[in-house]
Structures are given as C-alpha cells and as structure tokens.
C-alpha cells in the first residue's frame, strides 16, 4: 500500500481513501485500544475518537516516519486521555509514591498463549496495566511515561515493577495449577 498516496488522497477529502485508511488500521488499533481499557465497548469508543483525531490532524503527518507509528501514537494518547476522563478508571489510575518491596527477576517457566498472557495483563489494576503496556508493549521509557501520565519517572518504574511482580505471581500460580491438572495418579 502506498501510504503517501493514501494520505494525500485523504487530505483531498476522498471518501474511498478515508475508508481504506480506516480499514487498513482499524483492526490492529482496536487491539491497541483494548489493551488500555477494560471492555470492548470502551476500546471501540477509543478507536472511534482516535480516528476522528487522525482525520482531523492528518495534515500534521510529515511523511518522514511510518504512518502506522503515527496512527499508533495517536491511538495510545487517545486511550490515555480516555482513561483520565472516564470516571470508571479514575480510582484505578492513582499512582501513590510508596516504597516498593524488592522484585524477583525469576521468570516462571510456563508455556502460554499470547492471548492468555494478554488476558492476564488486562486483569491488572488500570494504573499498573497502563504503565506496563506503555513500557513493555509500546516501548516508551519511564521518563516518557512520566510525561504522558503526569507522574514522575520513579513512580512509573514502581508501577511497572509492581505490575511485573503481580504478573509473575499469577504466572507461577497458573503453572502450578496447570501441573496439578495434568498430573494423573497411576
């Protein structure tokens, strides 16, 4: 797909180009939105709002980077703004600056489908989930996350460490339960 042509056609207001842009990115961006929300309906709301922003700001795309990266960044920012505005997520997005217990680097030895791991991540409290997704999945630094969420770098690191520790605990529990289920007495 020729993204440069597609963007130029969208900027001309051609509905077919706008439909192509939407259809090309909608499915993968819904997945991005879903990682930050707690329901498909919320993710769809974020996706809709994100595409409105994309089409309103398409003139700002510089043709220097990858269009997919630009679209993804808008979706992530839209999801973060949605979490900040939506009262259902407000209490979960508090970031207390409390001291953190040491986190083990032990990784549970478990074979898990990506879908199952994504579901575990979705079970994290919203604040942990948001920081974990921004750092581990999207690749943002803790400094960048701090600026995005209005928190300090140390708080971002702490939230990430807590999320990671909780996931490791859950993965170990899953491993033990799986081993119990597969063990059959003679």
């Amino acid at each position: 797909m020729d993204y440069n042509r597609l963007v130029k056609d969208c900027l001309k207001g051609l509905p077919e180009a706008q439909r192509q842009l939407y259809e090309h990115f909608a499915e993968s961006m819904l997945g991005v939105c879903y990682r930050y929300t707690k329901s498909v309906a919320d993710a769809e709301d974020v996706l809709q709002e994100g595409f409105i922003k994309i089409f309103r700001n398409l003139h700002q795309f510089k043709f220097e980077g990858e269009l997919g990266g630009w679209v993804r960044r808008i979706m992530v920012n839209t999801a973060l703004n949605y979490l900040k505005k939506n009262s259902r997520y407000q209490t979960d997005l508090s970031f207390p600056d409390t001291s953190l217990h040491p986190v083990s680097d032990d990784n549970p030895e478990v074979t898990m489908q990506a879908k199952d791991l994504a579901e575990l991540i979705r079970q994290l409290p919203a604040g942990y989930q948001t920081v974990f997704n921004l750092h581990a999945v999207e690749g943002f630094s803790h400094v960048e996350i701090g600026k995005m969420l209005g928190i300090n770098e140390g708080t971002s690191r702490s939230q990430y460490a807590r999320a990671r520790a909780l996931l490791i605990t859950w993965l170990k529990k899953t491993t033990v339960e799986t081993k119990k289920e597969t063990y059959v007495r003679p």
Side-chain angles (χ1 to χ4, degrees):
M1 177 174 283
D2 182 1
Y3 292 130
N4 289 342
R5 171 61 35 215
L6 185 62
V7 169
K8 288 175 184 175
D9 288 347
C10 285
L11 290 171
K12 290 178 186 174
L14 299 178
E16 178 61 22
Q18 293 169 338
R19 184 187 61 75
Q20 282 182 335
L21 180 75
Y22 177 84
E23 288 179 355
H24 184 72
F25 289 107
E27 186 177 339
S28 62
M29 291 304 113
L30 181 60
V32 169
C33 298
Y34 189 58
R35 276 200 301 269
Y36 291 93
T37 60
K38 295 291 184 190
S39 73
V40 173
D42 287 349
E44 289 171 342
D45 287 347
V46 172
L47 182 74
Q48 175 87 12
E49 193 175 322
F51 270 106
I52 290 169
K53 289 179 181 181
I54 287 166
F55 287 119
R56 282 189 183 152
N57 296 300
L58 199 54
H59 65 280
Q60 294 178 2
F61 180 66
K62 305 283 188 222
F63 298 95
E64 294 169 357
E66 187 179 322
L67 179 62
W70 186 79
V71 168
R72 180 184 208 90
R73 181 81 180 217
I74 289 175
M75 288 297 173
V76 168
N77 287 331
T78 302
L80 295 177
N81 288 335
Y82 182 85
L83 295 178
K84 290 175 187 175
K85 288 189 301 188
N86 192 309
S87 61
R88 284 186 301 152
Y89 294 100
Q90 285 301 311
T91 56
D92 288 340
L93 277 177
S94 59
F95 296 98
D97 282 323
T98 57
S99 60
L100 180 65
H101 62 284
V103 177
S104 168
D105 281 339
D106 297 336
N107 289 320
E109 294 179 18
V110 64
T111 303
M112 177 175 261
Q113 298 290 330
K115 178 182 172 186
D116 296 330
L117 181 57
E119 190 53 40
L120 277 180
I121 293 168
R122 291 187 43 68
Q123 291 176 30
L124 290 168
Y128 290 8
Q129 178 185 354
T130 300
V131 172
F132 186 86
N133 280 327
L134 288 170
H135 185 69
V137 179
E138 305 293 343
F140 290 105
S141 72
H142 290 292
V143 172
E144 292 170 314
I145 294 168
K147 289 178 184 173
M148 294 167 89
L149 299 178
I151 59 177
N152 68 44
E153 176 186 352
T155 302
S156 175
R157 288 182 188 283
S158 170
Q159 294 289 307
Y160 176 74
R162 290 175 184 195
R164 186 173 177 274
L166 193 51
L167 285 171
I168 289 171
T169 300
W170 290 344
L171 287 170
K172 286 180 179 178
K173 182 179 177 189
T174 301
T175 302
V176 169
E177 289 173 1
T178 303
K179 286 179 181 175
K180 284 180 182 176
E181 290 173 11
T182 58
Y183 178 74
V184 178
R185 287 188 174 253

